[in-house]
Amino acid sequence: MAEGQLLPEIVEDIRNGNETIHGVAKSLRAKPAHKSKSSGWQTIVRGFAAAVRRLIKRDPQRRSEIAAELRRLADEFELEEKAAA
């Protein structure tokens, strides 16, 4: 559904009193079910971020070295993604 448009059935339900504008707005703002659960990638990213935080906490002097290595890895990944496309 495009922003600013309502399905005719919803408009008819509001006119007939079967639905309220507030109820429709609330349901449109609700998160889709697939976004409320973590995907496998989200779990991996959270675990990786926690591991990096622990690594930096153990050795704060290496923070810039760790950040540079992560940037290098991200650049490599991006180049591989572009090559695959």
Side-chain angles (χ1 to χ4, degrees), residues 43-57:
T43 303
I44 291 168
V45 169
R46 275 197 303 273
F48 182 76
V52 169
R53 282 192 299 273
R54 284 191 305 274
L55 183 62
I56 291 172
K57 191 174 184 178

Side-chain angles (χ1 to χ4, degrees), residues 1-47:
M1 178 181 343
E3 186 174 333
Q5 295 179 342
L6 288 176
L7 294 173
E9 300 87 25
I10 294 174
V11 173
E12 194 62 33
D13 281 345
I14 292 170
R15 286 186 181 144
N16 292 336
N18 298 332
E19 186 66 71
T20 64
I21 293 173
H22 177 72
V24 171
K26 188 175 177 180
S27 67
L28 291 175
R29 282 192 308 260
K31 285 185 178 180
H34 69 278
K35 289 189 177 184
S36 64
K37 295 181 180 177
S38 293
S39 70
W41 278 108
Q42 289 171 325
T43 303
I44 291 168
V45 169
R46 275 197 303 273

Side-chain angles (χ1 to χ4, degrees), residues 65-85:
E65 181 184 335
I66 293 167
E69 184 66 16
L70 289 172
R71 275 191 225 96
R72 185 188 66 75
L73 289 170
D75 290 344
E76 277 183 23
F77 180 74
E78 190 174 329
L79 289 174
E80 289 175 9
E81 287 286 307
K82 286 180 182 177

